[in-house]
Amino acid sequence: MEQENAKILNRGEEDEMELQGFRLSRWRLAVVGLAVLSTGGFLLLLLYWLPEWCVRSTCTRTTAQDAEVVLLRSTDEFRRWFLAKVRVILAPGRSPFHILDTQTTSPSSIPSPDTPTPATGKGPRHQTSQADPNQELIHRYGEYQPTQIRYFTHHSAKYYWNGEAQNFEVLTGLEDLQVSCSALHSEHSAGLSRNLQEYRRLFFGVNEIAVKVPSVFKLLIKEVLNPFYIFQLFSVILWAFEEYYYYAATIVFMSFISIATSLYTIKKQYITLRDMVAAHSIVRMSICRANNEIEEVISTDVVPGDVIVIPSNGTIMPCDAVLVTGTCIVNESMLTGESVPVTKTNLPNPVQGDRDAEKDSAFSTEEHKRHTLFCGTHVIQTRFYTGELVKAVVVRTGFSTAKGQLVRSILYPKPTDFKLYHDAYLFLLCLVGVAAIGFIYSIVLSVMKEVPIKEIILESLDIITITVPPALPAAMTAGIVYAQRRLKQIGIFCISPQRINICGQINLVCFDKTGTLTEDGLDMWGIHRVENGSFQLSEESAYKESLVKSQFVACMATCHSLTKIEGQLSGDPLDLKMLEAISWTLEEATEEETALHERIMPTVVRPPKELLPSEPAASPEMDMELSSMYEIGIVRQFPFSSALQRMSVVARRLGEKRMDAYLKGAPEVVASLCKKESVPEDFQEVLEEYTKKGFRVIALAHRRLESKLTWHRVQNVNRDHVEANMEFLGLIIMQNKLKAETPAVLQDLHRANIRTVMVTGDNMLTAISVARDCGMIPPQDKIIIADALAPRDGQTAKINWRYADKPGKMPRLEEVVISLEDICHMDEAKSAQQQFHFAMSGKSFDIIMEHFPDMMQKLVLHGTVFARMAPDQKTQLIEALQGVDYYVGMCGDGANDCGALKRAHSGISLSELEASVASPFTSRTPNISCVPNLIREGRAALITSFCVFKFMALYSMIQYISVTLLYSILSNLGDFQFLFIDIAIILFLVFTMSLNPAWKELVPRPPPSGLISAPLLFSVLTQILICLAFQVLPFLWVQQQPWYEQWTPLSNACNTSASTSTHSMTNISSFEVDPDYISNYENTSIFYVSSFQYIIVAIIFSKGKPFRQPSYKNWPFMLSALTLYVFMLFVLFHPIEAMDDFFKIVCVPFSWRIKLFLIVLANAAVSVFVETFILDVVLSKLVFSRDKQTSYGYAPAAMTQQVGIDHWGMKCLSWLCCQRNAAPKARYMHLAQELRVDPDWPPRPTTTTEAKPCPEKDYPMICSS
């Protein structure tokens, strides 16, 4: 029933949630209030920690429409709960796009969300806008019936009730109307009246990205209410009752430091984010009103639908807006990471009746981003026409903008999903279970021996604080803090310290190519011109007198997006290199020059004078009198589009009447837009020859435009009309060199069994070549390209497989087609012997994700090259890899990698620009050498966390055993014994054992991912049993000694000299009877042995190689351990009366001290033997090593030699430990096991295989012909 009533918010999006409606119940509130009082406020804490319990206990279920409180649950793997209060506002209409003039009419006049609503001040608004504003306001609002609008706020987003959809929905802006491009021009480009602006502000709110910095008090309350701190508070109160003030004060001090540090860090992060967001976020703007007036307003007042004027000297955009007139040069580094200026042109306006009107699609900021000015980006300058302003229509404001969404992702990140933290809570639950046993044991024992009630309660509760150590959070944090400090020393900065541990589990790293694996810049390698439909000989340079007036050079000089900013050329590095190679100059009209003409002055390019002939040239292509006046004006520019993979310009030579169109882009795309006869027959072979060598290839094309295309017509002509029937001019070959560090780093990662994947926006074959050059793909391995085709003409989707070595050579013999119906057929017959890699483009990736979801999981298992990938596709790839249980790292230079950097388990940015603010790690070193360093430190931090957790668990269990044994004789450890153990031993050891630096190299064996793993459990359980045995031994053995008696102040087991006895007898009167019975032989024996046990387990758990440096290099830890050993030996063998009185230990014979020392030596020997030989040598190599990555479809580049161990011994141990048929835990390992015995995998391009439906519908198969 509940599931039926639940609504789904943001369906299909990353923040999809289930919603349930509730109404407050007074009687339930009263009952819960009484329960809170009766539990002393503990129930209130429980309801704070569990919001779903809070809502269900105080409210009753109702429909979402009538809800007063909504309960939200995320649909991702974390299944988090949130609650929000539903609020009500009064408004003239139900929708922000409601026409105010019709608010008093019937409901049928309210437009539906699917119908674009005129919002420009046309129609009736034009008639009333001339009247007095006050009269207009009275006329509009005097008679309307206010409408109740229900909404709630969650994570800085407002969700409004939509009566038609019967659900809550987020209002983002004009895109909610699904308004077409032509409608934006015709219906939304005149501006809004003041009344309509105020009305819309009711829904969209103030245009600001408000990062509220919580007060210190609020942060303190939130931090203190953490369950661990509540437990610490409980422990401190209990110790205060027991008069154990010293350790209580120590825990309070540690907690105070921890809370203060945490508050300072959180507060600083909030302030930094607020300052970053607030910088230039509030500016003065000019907006156009519906009556053609220009009004100055503060940017916080604008709403979607407002028309803003972009100043000529530029501005910081406070909202997302689409250009409707003019052109802007914009720096988008805040969003993309690229500081390269981008040209933004006005949105195309398809005219009704035009043949291109059918292409009038709905406006989308993603699809039309080349026309959209995004919030937070810097408009450097504008270009405009005389008498016309550069105008943009506001489409999104506040947190709905691109910048707002980025800030939201930082403010409300997804929780870190890591097995260590899940296992830590499970382990703590186990300790709680052990504590419960001790709790019951102490109560039963105390009742049987008639102990007073107060002591029963205190001692029973004390068992809990012993078993679950309150210092655990501080101890676990220490290792991460030390690792963060070491990372900072090598130039890696971290804003999410909890992710350092996750870096230790990384087993796959995705790399961007340009700027990450290769150098940022491109060098001109040469050109390859085409004349009369055939390639000429390749040439090193285009800087020649013979080519200066050719169409090839003219295309290089004009087809770019370069602009001059403060006298310096700026733009795409590729365009800069291209213009630099021909040494042409670029000049732009100034603002004053533009104002003197009827139309905008074109950008002009001129060749170097030294290349121009001294006398007029008689060229058939030219109609000029003076060659020295040779120049070309760029009349119209169609910016580069990553979706179209091309850009073009319309230009005119000085003295020419007709204009020329020049096109530049991806070779395959350019060739498809050219006349067939102009494209050489060997085009594909020549292109592949260059791309295989790793060159970046750009194709050029040209077309003479019709004479009827005048300057005014060109400004409105459709792009597709210009980019057709072109003449192919040739290729520009650019070289993108590998960074010097790249091959060595990738080799290190391969040796460590860490997979590497390339994710790039570059050409497929270029990416494959770079992958081979840098060692990502070994020379002997095969590369299979997956070309996916979408369904069309009634055919299902299919994938064409081909080898990259000979693409297109034998298409009929080297093509395998697998259709959508075939992917479920898999026969298990033989294993794949050959190493292979998959490569695919972004287009194929989308098709496979949509139509072959099961196939995608198999492809990512061996997918190494993903080319032509858009930013959102990079994020989807990260999610696909995580879906098969890889721990994924992402390394990019910040350019279009923000989404992937955020989504990866560990994202490291090589850019320090603002776009990297969401990346967990940022490296000052601009190459990938930071990746193995980060993984090494992550592994060291992870192993440190395991060591600390194991040590703290053993510490609590050793003390638990000691106390439980002493409880049996109604004794306990003394306060100063507790204090010495808890502070002098534990705190010194735990905070110094975390200082081991990372091991100098990455090893093939990965560290365990969680505490609930066989090696760690075996280690902890065996050490607990060893410690139990060696504590029970002296406890029972001391009672068998001939000198043993129940100790009293008159006891004298030491056989001291007469003088000492006399001295002791004279001081007997000074002894007070010990009411807690602390001083006794059992207590003394257990105190000596257990104190050594803490040091023993600290040393054996503080492991070094292969993930950390050896402990002997950690001098603070070694100094602490040696000091404690020396001190304990001194106390054991050289008793001092004052010290014995301080610790409440009693004098025992020297022979018994020798026996205790031998027990300690035996304990150390057994612990070391079990931990280092049994666990590390025998079990780890023979039994626990089954889940290595190398066993499941991934072979490292170089395998390290293993120690020769008898094969049958391994078989026997595996059989004894029930490891014979253990299935791998990770999904990618399980898939690899299945595919190794699949006869049809990998697809082998040896025959022509076509997909045909088989007779059995339930069991489709591949039918070959």
Side-chain angles (χ1 to χ4, degrees):
M1 181 67 181
E2 286 187 6
Q3 202 64 27
E4 292 177 3
N5 294 334
K7 302 287 185 180
I8 302 296
L9 303 182
N10 310 320
R11 188 181 293 275
E13 297 179 19
E14 189 178 1
D15 54 349
E16 183 181 276
M17 295 179 291
E18 294 174 357
L19 178 145
Q20 298 174 22
F22 289 86
R23 185 182 292 277
L24 285 170
S25 170
R26 291 184 179 180
W27 70 267
R28 289 193 178 198
L29 275 171
V31 171
V32 169
L34 289 173
V36 167
L37 291 174
S38 62
T39 58
F42 179 74
L43 179 61
L44 192 62
L45 272 176
L46 201 63
L47 297 181
Y48 171 78
W49 293 331
L50 302 169
E52 69 275 20
W53 287 20
C54 177
V55 173
R56 295 183 191 281
S57 60
T58 58
C59 304
T60 55
R61 282 297 304 269
T62 185
T63 61
Q65 184 174 2
D66 300 325
E68 295 177 356
V69 175
V70 290
L71 186 61
L72 307 169
R73 190 180 192 184
S74 63
T75 58
D76 55 18
E77 65 271 26
F78 304 106
R79 308 292 287 174
R80 292 171 296 163
W81 291 94
F82 308 96
L83 62 89
K85 185 178 180 181
V86 178
R87 303 180 185 277
V88 178
I89 58 171
L90 297 178
R94 295 185 179 277
S95 163
F97 307 109
H98 177 67
I99 303 176
L100 287 182
D101 299 289
T102 63
Q103 45 78 20
T104 56
T105 61
S106 63
S108 62
S109 63
I110 299 174
S112 69
D114 298 326
T115 306
T117 308
T120 64
K122 291 196 172 190
R125 276 204 304 282
H126 274 296
Q127 298 170 11
T128 59
S129 63
Q130 304 300 324
D132 181 68
N134 293 331
Q135 293 297 323
E136 180 180 326
L137 194 64
I138 293 170
H139 171 72
R140 290 185 183 281
Y141 290 81
E143 300 175 357
Y144 89 98
Q145 295 297 321
T147 304
Q148 285 192 345
I149 307 295
R150 305 173 65 82
Y151 75 96
F152 68 88
T153 304
H154 173 67
H155 285 179
S156 299
K158 285 185 177 180
Y159 292 79
Y160 288 90
W161 178 255
N162 185 327
E164 294 184 0
Q166 286 294 296
N167 201 356
F168 284 95
E169 294 179 347
V170 179
L171 293 175
T172 56
L174 276 187
E175 287 175 289
D176 295 335
L177 284 177
Q178 298 183 349
V179 59
S180 65
C181 296
S182 59
L184 259 174
H185 281 277
S186 61
E187 300 174 0
H188 294 269
S189 60
L192 304 177
S193 64
R194 289 188 186 86
N195 293 332
L196 194 52
Q197 186 189 54
E198 290 173 6
Y199 169 64
R200 288 193 180 180
R201 200 176 298 124
L202 285 174
F203 291 88
F204 293 107
V206 177
N207 174 36
E208 65 176 349
I209 302 170
V211 178
K212 296 179 180 178
V213 180
S215 65
V216 174
F217 178 75
K218 189 176 287 187
L219 287 173
L220 177 65
I221 294 298
K222 187 176 180 181
E223 190 74 15
V224 166
L225 291 182
N226 183 291
F228 265 118
Y229 287 123
I230 296 297
F231 177 69
Q232 285 183 342
L233 179 65
F234 161 75
S235 302
V236 167
I237 293 171
L238 179 65
W239 294 330
F241 276 107
E242 294 181 332
E243 299 181 357
Y244 185 39
Y245 300 121
Y246 302 100
Y247 190 59
T250 304
I251 290 295
V252 168
F253 177 74
M254 286 172 53
S255 300
F256 175 79
I257 297 296
S258 176
I259 291 172
T261 305
S262 178
L263 290 185
Y264 173 78
T265 305
I266 295 171
K267 183 92 172 175
K268 184 179 177 183
Q269 287 178 349
Y270 269 109
I271 292 172
T272 303
L273 183 61
R274 182 197 63 189
D275 293 345
M276 186 199 82
V277 171
H280 310 294
S281 62
I282 299 178
V283 296
R284 293 199 68 83
M285 307 191 70
S286 299
I287 63 171
C288 300
R289 289 296 181 200
N291 53 9
N292 294 323
E293 291 180 0
I294 304 296
E295 182 180 334
E296 288 280 329
V297 297
I298 300 296
S299 58
T300 52
D301 292 337
V302 300
V303 296
D306 270 328
V307 176
I308 60 175
V309 178
I310 310 297
S312 58
N313 59 347
T315 184
I316 301 290
M317 288 299 297
C319 56
D320 288 354
V322 57
L323 273 173
V324 288
T325 60
T327 305
C328 292
I329 310 296
V330 185
N331 185 335
E332 291 189 326
S333 62
M334 190 271 164
L335 294 178
T336 65
E338 294 180 350
S339 56
V340 175
V342 179
T343 302
K344 300 279 186 173
T345 58
N346 60 298
L347 185 72
N349 182 15
V351 183
Q352 287 294 330
D354 189 49
R355 61 182 183 144
D356 295 315
E358 58 191 36
K359 298 181 181 179
D360 185 13
S361 59
F363 171 76
S364 163
T365 52
E366 182 61 33
E367 186 180 343
H368 299 97
K369 60 184 177 183
R370 281 291 175 179
H371 315 292
T372 305
L373 305 174
F374 292 102
C375 178
T377 59
H378 182 200
V379 178
I380 301 169
Q381 63 184 37
T382 63
R383 295 179 182 176
F384 55 92
Y385 307 98
T386 304
E388 286 194 36
L389 300 172
V390 178
K391 296 180 182 178
V393 178
V394 177
V395 290
R396 294 187 299 198
T397 57
F399 277 100
S400 297
T401 62
K403 182 179 179 181
Q405 290 169 2
L406 175 62
V407 173
R408 279 186 67 208
S409 69
I410 299 169
L411 283 174
Y412 313 106
K414 278 192 174 183
T416 306
D417 180 25
F418 191 37
K419 196 169 184 291
L420 170 67
Y421 304 122
H422 293 292
D423 290 353
Y425 284 113
L426 288 175
F427 210 91
L428 285 176
L429 283 176
C430 293
L431 292 180
V432 169
V434 174
I437 296 171
F439 181 79
I440 297 169
Y441 164 78
S442 64
I443 290 177
V444 172
L445 193 66
S446 299
V447 169
M448 288 174 61
K449 298 197 175 184
E450 299 180 354
V451 176
I453 294 295
K454 180 184 176 183
E455 288 186 24
I456 293 177
I457 295 172
L458 291 177
E459 290 184 352
S460 302
L461 292 176
D462 203 26
I463 282 282
I464 297 174
T465 65
I466 289 170
T467 314
V468 184
L472 181 61
M476 292 289 286
T477 304
I480 296 175
V481 171
Y482 296 149
Q484 188 175 5
R485 189 177 64 186
R486 289 195 297 268
L487 285 173
K488 190 175 181 180
Q489 290 172 353
I490 58 175
I492 299 174
F493 296 91
C494 173
I495 62 170
S496 181
Q498 294 301 322
R499 288 185 180 257
I500 296 176
N501 274 340
I502 303 180
C503 294
Q505 276 298 307
I506 296 296
N507 52 18
L508 184 147
V509 184
C510 295
F511 292 98
D512 182 34
K513 184 180 79 70
T514 308
T516 303
L517 298 174
T518 61
E519 298 287 354
D520 276 317
L522 290 165
D523 295 320
M524 177 74 80
W525 183 86
I527 61 172
H528 208 154
R529 293 185 301 115
V530 169
E531 290 183 4
N532 301 321
S534 61
F535 279 111
Q536 305 299 300
L537 293 174
S538 60
E539 301 163 82
E540 287 187 12
S541 173
Y543 184 77
K544 297 179 181 178
E545 186 175 333
S546 59
L547 296 179
V548 70
K549 295 182 180 180
S550 66
Q551 297 289 8
F552 189 95
V553 172
C555 186
M556 291 179 68
T558 58
C559 197
H560 53 70
S561 57
L562 300 177
T563 185
K564 277 197 172 180
I565 299 173
E566 297 180 355
Q568 293 292 322
L569 266 182
S570 184
D572 190 282
L574 185 146
D575 291 343
L576 285 169
K577 283 284 182 184
M578 193 170 65
L579 197 64
E580 181 185 312
I582 56 175
S583 298
W584 283 46
T585 56
L586 179 143
E587 291 185 11
E588 290 180 334
T590 64
E591 198 172 317
E592 294 77 14
E593 290 173 334
T594 304
L596 295 174
H597 295 78
E598 287 291 325
R599 62 193 185 208
I600 187 170
M601 289 288 288
T603 299
V604 174
V605 289
R606 297 187 181 92
K609 292 181 179 179
E610 58 268 20
L611 290 185
L612 290 173
S614 57
E615 55 186 33
S619 169
E621 296 181 15
M622 298 290 296
D623 183 18
M624 300 173 60
E625 294 182 4
L626 294 173
S627 57
S628 60
M629 294 294 292
Y630 185 84
E631 64 180 39
I632 305 174
I634 302 170
V635 179
R636 175 99 190 265
Q637 183 186 98
F638 297 99
F640 177 80
S641 166
S642 56
L644 300 176
Q645 298 181 24
R646 64 182 187 266
M647 75 162 293
S648 59
V649 295
V650 176
R652 183 164 69 179
R653 302 189 194 185
L654 183 64
E656 285 281 347
K657 293 181 180 178
R658 294 172 66 179
M659 297 187 188
D660 296 275
Y662 295 103
L663 176 69
K664 176 186 75 176
E668 305 91 338
V669 175
V670 172
S672 68
L673 298 172
C674 293
K675 298 175 183 175
K676 287 186 178 180
E677 60 271 18
S678 70
V679 180
E681 293 182 2
D682 58 345
F683 164 76
Q684 198 66 35
E685 287 79 1
V686 171
L687 174 62
E688 286 171 9
E689 191 67 30
Y690 285 124
T691 53
K692 280 182 181 178
K693 294 177 181 177
F695 291 116
R696 175 88 177 267
V697 183
I698 306 294
L700 307 182
H702 160 261
R703 177 163 79 95
R704 232 19 186 345
L705 297 177
E706 301 85 354
S707 57
K708 65 179 182 179
L709 277 176
T710 62
W711 189 92
H712 284 288
R713 286 188 178 181
V714 164
Q715 299 309 315
N716 296 311
V717 73
N718 187 280
R719 179 172 190 159
D720 293 338
H721 177 75
V722 174
E723 298 172 346
N725 297 318
M726 310 289 283
E727 296 280 343
F728 193 78
L729 293 177
L731 305 173
I732 298 175
I733 298 96
M734 313 288 282
Q735 191 174 20
N736 192 199
K737 296 178 181 177
L738 280 175
K739 289 185 177 179
E741 302 82 4
T742 296
V745 170
L746 294 180
Q747 190 177 7
D748 287 345
L749 294 175
H750 286 171
R751 276 199 294 262
N753 290 343
I754 296 171
R755 268 190 66 192
T756 53
V757 173
M758 184 189 297
V759 191
T760 178
D762 206 345
N763 174 277
M764 167 79 74
L765 296 178
T766 302
I768 289 173
S769 173
V770 171
R772 282 208 186 273
D773 290 344
C774 67
M776 193 174 282
I777 299 177
Q780 69 275 11
D781 289 4
K782 293 286 186 184
I783 302 173
I784 303 173
I785 296 178
D787 286 332
L789 301 177
R792 60 179 180 182
D793 302 330
Q795 297 181 351
T796 58
K798 61 181 180 179
I799 305 173
N800 295 332
W801 310 94
R802 58 188 175 91
Y803 282 149
D805 299 337
K806 300 177 182 178
K809 285 276 185 178
M810 293 183 290
R812 297 298 299 169
L813 295 178
E814 294 202 357
E815 187 177 86
V816 179
V817 180
I818 294 184
S819 124
L820 183 60
E821 293 97 337
D822 302 329
I823 60 176
C824 61
H825 169 68
M826 296 293 170
D827 290 327
E828 298 183 1
K830 58 181 179 179
S831 65
Q833 301 293 327
Q834 194 173 8
Q835 287 299 312
F836 58 93
H837 303 258
F838 288 111
M840 70 184 74
S841 66
K843 180 180 177 183
S844 296
F845 179 83
D846 269 348
I847 294 169
I848 295 172
M849 284 289 287
E850 183 178 357
H851 299 284
F852 301 86
D854 294 335
M855 178 69 74
M856 179 53 73
Q857 292 193 342
K858 299 171 185 176
L859 290 177
V860 296
L861 203 63
H862 286 273
T864 303
V865 176
F866 295 84
R868 299 292 190 205
M869 296 286 279
D872 59 327
Q873 291 171 334
K874 291 182 180 183
T875 306
Q876 290 171 9
L877 174 63
I878 298 292
E879 291 172 347
L881 290 166
Q882 291 172 335
V884 291
D885 296 339
Y886 276 113
Y887 284 98
V888 184
M890 174 71 195
C891 182
D893 60 351
N896 301 323
D897 298 322
C898 294
L901 288 168
K902 284 189 295 182
R903 192 67 188 94
H905 287 107
S906 171
I908 181 164
S909 171
L910 304 185
S911 166
E912 293 188 59
L913 296 169
E914 286 177 305
S916 301
V917 73
S919 178
F921 302 94
T922 302
S923 172
R924 276 186 176 174
T925 308
N927 60 62
I928 64 170
S929 62
C930 58
V931 174
N933 289 334
L934 180 62
I935 296 175
R936 284 192 305 107
E937 289 294 345
R939 288 183 172 187
L942 182 60
I943 293 301
T944 297
S945 295
F946 290 147
C947 293
V948 169
F949 205 98
K950 286 163 62 179
F951 175 64
M952 294 300 286
L954 258 295
Y955 148 61
S956 62
M957 293 310 299
I958 290 170
Q959 202 167 80
Y960 174 79
I961 292 167
S962 302
V963 170
T964 306
L965 288 173
L966 292 175
Y967 273 8
S968 67
I969 59 170
L970 297 183
S971 181
N972 200 350
L973 292 172
D975 284 354
F976 287 101
Q977 290 176 341
F978 272 124
L979 194 66
F980 174 73
I981 293 169
D982 293 340
I983 295 179
I985 297 181
I986 301 305
L987 292 187
F988 272 98
L989 290 178
V990 82
F991 284 118
T992 55
M993 72 188 299
S994 303
L995 288 168
N996 289 42
W999 184 244
K1000 56 190 175 183
E1001 61 185 26
L1002 287 172
V1003 295
R1005 181 162 63 95
S1009 60
L1011 288 164
I1012 312 299
S1013 62
L1016 291 174
L1017 287 178
F1018 179 85
S1019 173
V1020 171
L1021 292 176
T1022 52
Q1023 293 303 324
I1024 289 174
L1025 292 175
I1026 291 168
C1027 291
L1028 173 64
F1030 282 97
Q1031 280 199 55
V1032 171
L1033 177 62
F1035 180 79
L1036 297 178
W1037 198 7
V1038 72
Q1039 297 173 3
Q1040 307 301 320
Q1041 300 304 307
W1043 44 264
Y1044 175 80
E1045 62 180 357
Q1046 186 169 356
W1047 190 89
T1048 67
L1050 296 174
S1051 298
N1052 184 13
C1054 292
N1055 295 322
T1056 54
S1057 62
S1059 60
T1060 307
S1061 299
T1062 306
H1063 176 74
S1064 299
M1065 291 297 291
T1066 59
N1067 288 301
I1068 285 176
S1069 60
S1070 65
F1071 278 95
E1072 295 181 4
V1073 178
D1074 184 3
D1076 297 324
Y1077 191 49
I1078 301 298
S1079 300
N1080 55 66
Y1081 296 119
E1082 290 89 345
N1083 170 287
T1084 300
S1085 301
I1086 283 182
F1087 173 70
Y1088 281 138
V1089 173
S1090 65
S1091 295
F1092 279 105
Q1093 284 181 336
Y1094 297 120
I1095 309 171
I1096 292 168
V1097 294
I1099 291 174
I1100 64 170
F1101 282 164
S1102 184
K1103 295 182 179 179
K1105 191 178 176 181
F1107 304 114
R1108 305 197 305 166
Q1109 295 283 356
S1111 291
Y1112 63 79
K1113 290 189 177 182
N1114 180 359
W1115 68 264
F1117 175 71
M1118 294 306 297
L1119 183 63
S1120 300
L1122 287 173
T1123 303
L1124 288 168
Y1125 262 125
V1126 171
F1127 177 77
M1128 286 306 304
L1129 288 172
F1130 178 80
V1131 173
L1132 178 63
F1133 289 112
H1134 195 280
I1136 299 174
E1137 188 175 351
M1139 193 173 293
D1140 289 353
D1141 291 343
F1142 179 78
F1143 285 120
K1144 289 193 176 181
I1145 55 181
V1146 299
C1147 190
V1148 293
F1150 187 79
S1151 60
W1152 181 242
R1153 296 176 192 273
I1154 295 293
K1155 291 175 183 177
L1156 288 178
F1157 180 64
L1158 293 175
I1159 289 172
V1160 169
L1161 287 180
N1163 188 344
V1166 173
S1167 294
V1168 171
F1169 176 78
V1170 170
E1171 186 72 17
T1172 58
F1173 182 76
I1174 300 295
L1175 178 65
D1176 290 348
V1177 177
V1178 180
L1179 295 178
S1180 289
K1181 291 189 177 179
L1182 299 184
V1183 179
F1184 300 145
S1185 61
R1186 283 186 57 83
D1187 287 347
K1188 283 187 179 180
Q1189 298 173 39
T1190 49
S1191 301
Y1192 300 100
Y1194 179 74
M1199 289 291 295
T1200 57
Q1201 287 190 344
Q1202 300 291 325
V1203 178
I1205 300 177
D1206 182 62
H1207 176 73
W1208 293 106
M1210 181 178 70
K1211 289 285 186 184
C1212 292
L1213 274 173
S1214 297
W1215 183 83
L1216 287 171
C1217 295
C1218 305
Q1219 290 285 327
R1220 287 166 294 170
N1221 297 309
K1225 295 178 182 178
R1227 182 163 176 74
Y1228 70 89
M1229 294 180 179
H1230 182 73
L1231 279 170
Q1233 271 191 339
E1234 290 182 349
L1235 295 177
R1236 286 180 67 178
V1237 295
D1238 190 332
D1240 297 326
W1241 194 263
R1244 297 180 181 179
T1246 55
T1247 59
T1248 302
T1249 305
E1250 296 181 357
K1252 295 180 181 178
C1254 299
E1256 297 87 354
K1257 292 184 180 180
D1258 294 334
Y1259 302 97
M1261 57 183 290
I1262 299 175
C1263 301
S1264 303
S1265 57

